[in-house]
Amino acid sequence: MNPKHASPELFDGQAGLFERRAGLPETVCRAIVKKVVEIGEAKSGDLIVEIGSGTGQIGQWFEAPVRYAGFDLSAGMLKECSRRLDLVQADANTSWPLADGVARVIFSSRAVHLLQQEHVAHEVFRVSVSTGATLTLGRVEREPESVRARMAKEMNERLRLHGFAGRRGERQNRKLFELCRDRGAVDLEPVAVAQWRSLASPRQSLDSWRGLAGLGGIAVPAATRAEILRELESWAEAEFGGLDQEFESEETYVLKSLRVPKNLSDSEQ
Ligand SMILES: C[S@@+](CC[C@H](N)C(=O)[O-])C[C@H]1O[C@@H](n2cnc3c(N)ncnc32)[C@H](O)[C@@H]1O
């Protein structure tokens, strides 16, 4: 693996934990898959490609007549995949392991914000079929007052105070969409696929960040990372009255999509 291209935020260290911490209910995963196929107007034999497929918790529900292929950088995440899926290990910041013009749908859930957006836009257009394709990004939206949202906001603020600009998910997804629009892609209506209530404690956020190599989607020196996590711990203790208090909030899984029009794929330009 070329370290120049690797994402700083590797998931190997927390692969086993990932589904327990951030796993989505099976009903939600199935609903996401159904919508991705519907939005992408995928027909029999069409290829759906997933970027940063992780453990395959969503990808496992894509079934014939569509075809599915996913890839992820983390061998640890791929090893956790319990079903036989077409998953390969590859770095999405380098050339994707796909030929030009093969994908009807390019799907990614909670992963694209970790990548280099200009490169992703280029690859989306390169692998899109020339008859028109769809890029669909999924993410969990949280109430701004939820523990997870407040912890993430504070973590990004602390990163900024220490001189680092974290990659906030929504901002990165917006940037990718802008780059694709510049090349002629067109917005589709966002779709809220599922809504559920979840319990979260400040410690869960801290523990999940401790399991990552970076912080906020970027490389941060170990000493700075430890310092930020210490600061966050004190802040959370005061703010939430302890680290183990659990609070309930609503989460929504949202799909945002763009149509890559006919003949605009890179192979056609
Ligand atoms: C938050 S997880 C999301 C997993 C899954 N898509 C989901 O929604 O459950 C982010 C995933 O992106 C993968 N990832 C991060 N950087 C990557 C890269 N440069 N190339 C491919 N995958 C990457 C991680 O290994 C991890 O599996």
Side-chain angles (χ1 to χ4, degrees):
M1 184 171 58
N2 179 347
K4 183 167 150 270
H5 292 297
S7 292
E9 188 156 10
L10 290 175
F11 283 72
D12 280 352
Q14 61 160 285
L17 261 181
F18 179 78
E19 284 197 15
R20 254 175 296 145
R21 176 182 71 83
L24 301 165
E26 182 183 318
T27 49
V28 174
C29 294
R30 284 177 179 272
I32 293 169
V33 162
K34 193 162 169 269
K35 273 289 166 210
V36 169
V37 171
E38 214 174 285
I39 295 168
E41 297 175 357
K43 306 275 186 309
S44 180
D46 282 346
L47 178 65
I48 296 183
V49 170
E50 185 179 3
I51 317 305
S53 52
T55 59
Q57 66 162 334
I58 299 173
Q60 65 182 312
W61 304 113
F62 286 102
E63 286 171 346
V66 298
R67 293 176 300 134
Y68 167 84
F71 68 95
D72 197 286
L73 179 61
S74 161
M77 292 292 270
L78 293 171
K79 239 185 6 232
E80 290 293 315
C81 179
S82 51
R83 297 249 305 235
R84 285 185 54 181
L85 279 182
D86 190 6
L87 296 181
V88 296
Q89 187 181 7
D91 182 355
N93 283 329
T94 62
S95 186
W96 295 355
L98 293 159
D100 295 356
V102 292
R104 171 72 60 200
V105 176
I106 299 110
F107 166 61
S108 188
S109 169
R110 310 186 288 181
V112 148
H113 63 287
L114 301 167
L115 307 175
Q116 293 158 14
Q117 304 308 308
E118 288 80 4
H119 177 73
V120 174
H122 173 80
E123 288 295 273
V124 164
F125 276 71
R126 183 182 69 76
V127 303
S128 287
V129 289
S130 60
T131 47
T134 303
L135 167 67
T136 296
L137 302 184
R139 64 189 303 269
V140 176
E141 295 193 350
R142 306 196 160 92
E143 295 171 310
E145 287 313 307
S146 65
V147 173
R148 281 186 174 176
R150 289 183 62 198
M151 289 292 290
K153 186 166 177 235
E154 191 65 21
M155 184 265 283
N156 274 288
E157 179 58 17
R158 306 248 158 202
L159 265 179
R160 198 181 61 75
L161 292 172
H162 282 267
F164 296 89
R167 292 168 169 257
R168 304 199 66 173
E170 206 176 352
R171 206 172 295 163
Q172 294 297 316
N173 288 0
R174 266 206 305 271
K175 182 170 172 194
L176 174 60
F177 272 28
E178 272 163 30
L179 290 165
C180 291
R181 279 188 212 108
D182 289 348
R183 289 165 164 251
V186 177
D187 283 274
L188 299 178
E189 273 301 303
V191 177
V193 179
Q195 226 164 29
W196 62 92
R197 297 198 71 77
S198 80
L199 281 173
S201 69
R203 193 183 299 284
Q204 285 165 354
S205 297
L206 290 166
D207 285 350
S208 68
W209 294 328
R210 284 200 179 98
L212 296 175
L215 197 59
I218 56 165
V220 177
T224 312
R225 213 172 128 266
E227 173 60 22
I228 292 175
L229 291 174
R230 261 195 306 276
E231 288 173 16
L232 269 175
E233 190 168 315
S234 311
W235 174 84
E237 247 163 10
E239 202 66 21
F240 298 102
L243 296 180
D244 295 305
Q245 290 263 68
E246 288 196 320
F247 300 88
E248 206 186 33
S249 69
E250 192 161 78
E251 307 198 331
T252 310
Y253 191 96
V254 180
L255 291 174
K256 291 192 176 155
S257 306
L258 284 181
R259 197 79 85 205
V260 178
K262 275 186 197 171
N263 299 326
L264 277 173
S265 56
D266 274 355
S267 48
E268 302 275 324
Q269 280 175 350

